Amino acid sequence: MIVLNFAHPFTKEQLAQIQQISGYNVEKVFEIKTQFNHQLSFKDQVKKLVEDIPLQSDEWQRQRIIINPPSFSTIAIALLAELHGRMGYFPPIIRISPVCNTPPEYKVVEILNLQEIRDEARTKR
């Protein structure tokens, strides 16, 4: 499984939690910095961000990919739209939750299957 991390770098423990929850081995982790310029188009910056990830067109569609989205919601939403366009489906996302405050510590608590959420919501139309 390929992990695209658009947030803080993962610890070894968090990567182990991802593997345990997902049931898949983490083969690659791409740490992707998401510092955006608020004076420029987020659409263009998201496109460039994704284009800089070293995956080929067919890999976007064939590989098992999971993402840790950026915390800034506007970037995260635009990123999901871009990824859906390249992958053909919504990727699963990692949800991290704080464990304690001093020093800050976080654990992986679940993996949200966005495509499943979307498909279930379609039955409510």
Side-chain angles (χ1 to χ4, degrees):
M1 171 174 60
I2 297 171
V3 177
L4 303 180
N5 184 15
F6 297 91
H8 295 286
F10 287 117
T11 64
K12 289 179 183 179
E13 292 82 12
Q14 290 168 329
L15 289 173
Q17 291 165 349
I18 292 168
Q19 289 186 153
Q20 180 183 11
I21 293 169
S22 70
Y24 296 100
N25 289 329
V26 173
E27 297 170 12
K28 293 182 193 175
V29 177
F30 293 103
E31 301 286 351
I32 303 150
K33 296 185 188 289
T34 56
Q35 293 292 331
F36 275 30
N37 182 335
H38 287 265
Q39 305 306 313
L40 300 175
S41 164
F42 274 22
K43 175 184 172 186
D44 294 340
Q45 290 180 81
V46 163
K47 182 178 179 182
K48 169 100 172 79
L49 187 74
V50 174
E51 285 176 351
D52 287 347
I53 298 169
L55 294 175
Q56 301 299 314
S57 177
D58 64 321
E59 290 177 295
W60 284 109
Q61 297 171 47
R62 288 184 304 119
Q63 294 293 324
R64 184 174 309 279
I65 298 172
I66 187 170
I67 70 163
N68 186 31
S71 58
F72 189 53
S73 61
T74 307
I75 296 171
I77 293 165
L79 176 64
L80 286 174
E82 180 73 24
L83 292 175
H84 187 285
R86 291 170 187 257
M87 299 170 78
Y89 61 93
F90 287 108
I93 63 168
I94 299 163
R95 183 170 75 90
I96 296 177
S97 181
V99 176
C100 66
N101 289 335
T102 310
E105 188 179 320
Y106 299 87
K107 69 176 184 174
V108 177
V109 293
E110 76 177 316
I111 295 173
L112 295 167
N113 184 331
L114 296 184
Q115 188 64 40
E116 181 179 282
I117 293 169
R118 181 235 182 239
D119 292 345
E120 287 178 13
R122 287 201 41 109
T123 66
K124 307 293 185 214
R125 287 174 134 186

